[in-house]
Amino acid sequence: MNEVRKLLRSRFPGLHARIEQTLIEAEARYNRQAKQAPSEFLLEHTRRTAAIAHKIATMERVDALLPVLVALYHDAGKFHEGEYHKDDVAEEEHAAILAERMLAESGAERADIEAVGSALRALYDDRLPCVESCRIVQDADRLDKLGALGVGAFFTKATLRGRGLVDALVHTLSRELSYALAAPRSMLTETGQMLAREQTPKTVAFFDELLHDLERWGIAAFERRTLLVEGDFRTRGGARVQKTQVTIVMPRDCPDCEAPLELTHRCERGLKCEMLKARFACQSCDYARDISFCLPVLA
């Protein structure tokens, strides 16, 4: 992260501190309005993503400035006006508008401002071309969710949302493992693919061991199911995909009455992605849980 600060200070003195302060204030405002405890999760994730983007750019032998700028702004629109996904405008659009204004105020060249804005808008809009900076930051963002870093972020986010251990696994482990298993095929740079192949087994091994220990001690029993979801999907490069694979982690039996659980699912188009919506419900009592997440997008 020191390399990120050094790079920004050499090109745009004061900008790095302004970006970080903007992120701190946005999350603080959201926490106040949502009546949540203070946190700096957004700032820490942004710092990690920028550091990883700098590393990827260096390994790919490209100038790290634009990828680092895109990484620093990539979540800057997440808490627009103190709300989380308040409107129908993608958070990357809010981030791009903010970045373009701040970069102009810092004296950046017009071409660089346009490149950062375009990369931010294309990050998760598969209708737009994702070129060098976009590709690097998309990989960096995904790599932050893998390995030990990803496990740490998983539990940090669960705590911020007030979820205990088992509750967090029920609601979000399906997404984490689906993304982890798809990661080597989702990365857009050769460096990202290599790093994902290193980190994915660490993620899977940790959660496998955790689920094993929960069952061993009689705390909770989970099972992993593989779903082949059919649809008219596209890779980031535009190729058609008729099936995609996701992993669902769910209680083996109903936690309340030990009866079997029925798993159902459907897909629908969200603001930025194809969403999987799954539900596991007890056939004998009122227990039911709904989960949803964006389907992994392959390169």
Side-chain angles (χ1 to χ4, degrees):
M1 284 175 280
N2 287 335
E3 294 303 317
V4 171
R5 292 192 185 99
K6 290 176 185 176
L7 177 62
L8 266 290
R9 285 172 183 167
S10 68
R11 306 286 279 270
F12 302 108
L15 180 59
H16 186 269
R18 285 185 63 202
I19 296 172
E20 290 206 339
Q21 188 59 36
T22 298
L23 295 173
I24 291 170
E25 291 173 357
E27 187 166 2
R29 183 180 179 186
Y30 169 76
N31 285 334
R32 286 194 302 271
Q33 294 184 190
K35 294 181 172 56
Q36 292 186 173
S39 64
E40 291 188 353
F41 182 86
L42 190 65
L43 175 64
E44 290 191 2
H45 166 64
T46 298
R47 285 174 171 171
R48 295 193 303 269
T49 303
I52 297 169
H54 188 283
K55 181 72 170 179
I56 294 174
T58 301
M59 295 176 71
E60 293 280 311
R61 298 183 179 180
V62 302
D63 186 346
L65 178 63
L66 294 184
V68 162
L69 285 171
V70 174
L72 289 170
Y73 282 109
H74 86 283
D75 268 347
K78 186 175 290 293
F79 297 133
H80 179 66
E81 295 185 350
E83 302 283 350
Y84 181 62
H85 293 172
K86 175 183 178 180
D87 50 32
D88 292 333
V89 179
E91 63 189 65
E92 290 80 14
E93 178 63 28
H94 291 305
I97 293 171
L98 176 65
E100 289 165 346
R101 175 177 60 79
M102 291 178 68
L103 288 172
E105 293 170 353
S106 297
E109 294 183 3
R110 188 72 230 166
D112 288 344
I113 296 173
E114 291 176 355
V116 170
S118 296
L120 286 166
R121 292 182 173 94
L123 271 177
Y124 293 99
D125 187 342
D126 52 17
R127 297 166 297 183
L128 300 175
C130 185
V131 293
E132 190 172 81
S133 295
C134 172
R135 296 166 74 86
I136 289 172
V137 175
Q138 181 167 290
D139 285 3
D141 191 27
R142 290 173 175 173
L143 284 165
D144 185 49
K145 298 175 176 66
L146 295 177
L149 288 178
V151 169
F154 175 88
F155 290 110
T156 300
K157 188 177 292 187
T159 301
L160 290 174
R161 292 177 176 173
R163 298 194 188 281
L165 173 58
V166 173
D167 191 40
L169 297 174
V170 168
H171 281 90
T172 54
L173 186 53
S174 298
R175 179 189 64 203
E176 296 300 309
L177 286 185
S178 292
Y179 290 174
L181 292 167
R185 295 172 293 130
S186 298
M187 299 295 167
L188 301 178
T189 66
E190 290 186 7
T191 299
Q193 293 164 12
M194 178 192 70
L195 295 173
R197 287 193 294 269
E198 293 176 359
Q199 297 300 315
T200 288
K202 299 178 185 179
T203 303
V204 176
F206 174 86
F207 283 111
D208 278 349
E209 187 68 18
L210 176 59
L211 296 181
H212 172 77
D213 281 357
L214 286 170
E215 184 167 4
R216 176 190 177 195
W217 293 108
I219 298 168
F222 287 86
E223 65 176 326
R224 283 170 52 180
R225 297 190 187 182
T226 299
L227 292 182
L228 283 177
V229 182
E230 297 184 354
D232 185 18
F233 309 121
R234 301 274 181 166
T235 67
R236 200 61 173 88
R240 285 182 176 273
V241 178
Q242 295 183 331
K243 294 181 180 180
T244 189
Q245 182 173 301
V246 297
T247 297
I248 299 296
V249 181
M250 56 185 285
R252 182 167 297 140
D253 299 303
C254 175
D256 293 341
C257 72
E258 299 185 348
L261 294 177
E262 180 183 19
L263 173 64
T264 57
H265 71 277
R266 71 182 192 278
C267 288
E268 61 182 54
R269 182 68 191 179
L271 179 61
K272 301 189 297 180
C273 65
E274 291 290 338
M275 295 282 297
L276 175 77
K277 297 197 172 185
R279 178 180 178 86
F280 28 92
C282 181
Q283 300 178 34
S284 298
C285 72
D286 293 334
Y287 177 87
R289 293 294 183 271
D290 295 295
I291 62 173
S292 63
F293 55 90
C294 290
L295 290 172
V297 177
L298 303 183

